[in-house]
Amino acid sequence: MPAERAGYTVTMFLIDTSPSMGKLRTVQLPPGPNNEERTSEITRLEWALQFVKLKIQEMIYNGRKTDQCGVIVFGSEDTNNIINEQNGGYENVSDYIPIAQPNAATLSKLDALKATDIYGDPLDAIIVGIHTQAVHLASKKTWTRKIVLITDGESPIELEDWEATVDKMNSLNVSMTIVGVDFDSENFGYVEANKTEMKKTNEAFFHEFISKVDNGIVGTCEEALQETARPDIKQTKSALMGTLLRLGDVDTKADEAFELVVKTSKCTAMSRPKSWKKFAVRETNPRESSQDEDAEIDMEDDKAETAKVAYAQLKMRSEYYVEQGGEADAEDDVKMEDDDEILLDKRKGKDKEVRLPSEEENTPHLEKVEREELIRGFKYGTTYAPCPDGQFPRLNTRKGIDICGFFLAKNFRRELSMGEIQYVWADPNSAKQQAAFSSIVQAMYEKDAIAIARWVTKDGMDCKMGVLTPVVWDEVDCLLWAQMPFADDVRKYTFASLDHLVNKKGEVLTEHPFIPTEEQLDAMDNFVDAMDLMDAGDKDEEGTKQAMFHCAVVSDLSANPLPPPHPELLKYFDTPKRVLKRSRDALEECKNVLKVKQVPKKVARTRKDGHALAQDEDDNLLLEGKEPSLHHDMSQIQISEAPSPDNVKAKASVENSETEEEDEEEELLLDKVKKRATSPSAAPRKNQPLPTPARSMSPEIDPGRAPDRIIGSTYPLADFKKNIAQGDVVTKAVEDLAAVIIEIAMRPFSSRRHTELIECMQFLRETALLEDEIDAWNAFLVNLKDKCTSEPGNQEFWSEVKGVGRGLSLISNKEAKQNGGTSKVSESGSINVRSIRYYK
C-alpha cells in the first residue's frame, strides 16, 4: 500500500434521507449473558449512519486540524447548497454540515438526521459535493479529496451527462466510495432477495459509474461496517526537512572540509496512546444565562428542567502561596515540592521556595503570590540555583549534522541506540549534491563503517549525538540516524557471568550444569528458528489498528452492546498451528537434551504435634529467625525455636554446591542471622486451662500425576482439557492421556471408571482429529486392544468400547482428509481394528 500523507484530507459524506431510508431492518446483536440470540430493529438510515460516524470518530480521535469533513444531505425538505444559490437547480440537496475539523457536535448532528418524504437525486449530491470541496480547497492542490456516498439505491436518478461528472472527478483526482444499503456483493457473498426494479437499475448504474472513476469502489453497507473494525496498518509519509551535512571545519579549513545540503525524514515514530480530556457537569440557571454564553435554557417546554446540564472541560490552575511565620521564621524555611524545579520569591531580595498549602498542616499565615513575582530555580545538589531568565544560557550551536569520526560497524553497541530513527537523504533538486552524498554512503558501506555525528536541529538549540549508518538500495543511497546517549547518561551495572564460572581453587570450569553444551545450544537454536513467525501466514497479515469507540456509534450501550472483536484481530492472539506443528520435534529435542522435567508443586502438610505448616527449604537460608506461619483456625499458640546456624551449614553442605558463588552467598546470608529473643509473654501461665487443639487440615487430593507426565490418573479429562487450552503441549497431552487410560483400564476394580474412560476416549478422538494427532490415536487404540484382550487384560472394557461403535473406531484416511489431515488406515480397516490396511 503506498504511503499516504497524514491529514490534509477533505472528505465529503453524501447521505440519502429519502423515504426508503426510513424502512426498518433487523440487525444482529452480540449474544446475551446466556448466549441467547438477540436482534434489534433500526431504520436503514440509522444503520448506514454507523459507518459515517465510525469514519468521523476516527478523525476526531486522530485530532488533526488538517483532517476535515463535510456532510451533504440529498432528499431533504429544504434546499441549501452553493450551486443553487448561484445558478439555481439542484433541489432538495442541503449542505448539512460545512467543511471543518469534526468534533463531538458533528456526531450529535448526525444523530438528528431522519428520513423525509422527499426523494433526492444522488448525482446532484455528487456534483454539489465536488463543487463545495473545490471551493473550500481553492489552490490547495496537494490535499487529498474523498467523496463517500451513502444510499439504498431506491431514489430516481437523472442520468444526463453523467460522464462529464466522472471526467471532472478524475481531473481533480477525487476518490469515490459508494456504500449501498443491501447492495449485492460477490466478495461478501450477499444477494438481496425481492429487489425492486428501481434498485436493480440504480445499482447497475453505480457499478458502471465507479468503473469510469480512476479511484473508486462500491460495496454493501454490512461489509463496510465489518471492514471498519478490521485491523490494518496505515503507512504515512513523513515531510522532508532541510539541513546540512558537514565534515571538517568549513570556516577555517575550507579546503579540507565539505558541506552538503541534505533532507531528513522519519523512518520510525513512537506511537503513544491518546490523552484523555476531563469533563465535569456544569449547571446553570436562568439568572446566570445572560452572563454565561455557553449556557442554554429551554423555555419552550413547560415540563423541562429550569436549568440545562452542560459539560465543561476541566483545566489545571496553579496558585502560589508563601508562608509568613513572623520574626522567628525570618529565614522562611520551606519544603521542596518538585525535585526538578521550584519557584523562588524575589521580593525583598530573598530566595524562597513556594508550595501549595496542605490540608493536613495548620498554616493559617499564607500569603498568595502572583506568578509574575516569582523566578524559576533549579535544584543543584542540596541547594537551589535561581535562574531569572527561566533557563541557563545555551551553547552557541549551528544548525546541521557534523560528522565527528568513523568506526567499524562491528564495534557498534546496539543496546545504546535510543529514540527514533531518521532518514538522511541527498538534496533531490541537485544532481551534484546527490553524487557527492552517494559517494560518501558507498565508501562507508564498502568499509563497513559507521559515522558518529552531532546533530543540531536549529541554531542555538541543544545538540544530539548519534550514529549514521549507510544504507545502499537499488535506486537510492541514504544514511540512517540513530541517537546515542552521552557518557553521563549511561549507567554501568556488574553482573555475574553466565558462561564463565570459577571454583574455589581459581580454576575456570568448562563443564558444569550451569554451562550449556554445544548440543544444548544447537537444540535451542533449532527451537527458536522453528518458532519464527515470518512465514507463519500471508504477508498481508501484519499490523493492527486501535478499535473505534463503540459509544460514538450507538446512543444506548445496553440496547446495542459492544460487538466481539474482528476475527482478523483475534487470530493474532493464538500461536499459528503451522508454527506449533513445525516446532514439536525441536521442542522435544530441547526437553531431552536439557533434561527438562516438571517439578510437582509441594503440598503444605500439617505437623503431627501441632498446627504449624511445614517450612520451605529456603526458609532456613533466607528467613532465618522468622517464626513459621500459623493457620487461621489454630486455637493454640505454637512457639518453635529457630534452627541454629550450624545446622543450617550442615544442611547446606549436604547439597551439591559446585560453584564458589553459591558457597560465598550462603556464608553471607548466614553471617546476617540474628538470634531471636524469647518473648516473656510466650511463657506458659500457671493455673490456666489448656486450650482446645484445632482440627488438622485436610490434605489436598493427590492428582496421581507421574513425574514425567502432565496428565494425572485422578482427574484425567480435566487435566487433558486444561493442557489442551494452552495450545503448545497437544502432542504430549495426547500421549499422556492415552497412557493413563490404559493404566486405569488394567487396574483391579477398574469397572467403576469405565464410563469415565469412555468419555475420555471420545474427547481424545475428537482432539486427535482436530489437532492432526491421527496416528497417535490409531496407535493408542491398537495398543489398548492388545492390552485388553491379552492376559490378564480387561475384556469387559474392550466390549464396551466396541459397543460405542463408530465414535471410538480408528480414524480412516477419508475422515482425516475432511479435517485437513491424513491417515494410513483405510475406510474398511477403521471399522474393525483387527483388519488394518495401510497405504503404501
Side-chain angles (χ1 to χ4, degrees), residues 731-751:
T731 302
K732 179 64 175 175
V734 170
E735 295 175 356
D736 288 358
L737 181 59
V740 168
I741 292 174
I742 294 177
E743 287 183 2
I744 297 177
M746 295 298 106
R747 291 177 182 175
F749 308 104
S750 63
S751 58

Side-chain angles (χ1 to χ4, degrees), residues 36-53:
E36 68 273 11
E37 294 185 358
R38 295 190 296 177
T39 58
S40 175
E41 287 190 352
I42 59 176
T43 63
R44 291 180 176 180
L45 179 61
E46 293 174 343
W47 190 51
L49 284 178
Q50 291 185 7
F51 173 78
V52 179
K53 288 187 286 187

Side-chain angles (χ1 to χ4, degrees), residues 521-536 578-580 582-584 586-587 589-590:
L521 293 175
D522 294 339
M524 184 56 66
D525 289 341
N526 295 335
F527 176 63
V528 173
D529 294 339
M531 292 295 291
D532 188 7
L533 298 177
M534 295 303 294
D535 57 348
R578 185 186 306 177
V579 176
L580 290 177
R582 184 179 58 197
S583 60
R584 286 176 184 172
L587 179 59
E589 182 184 1
C590 284

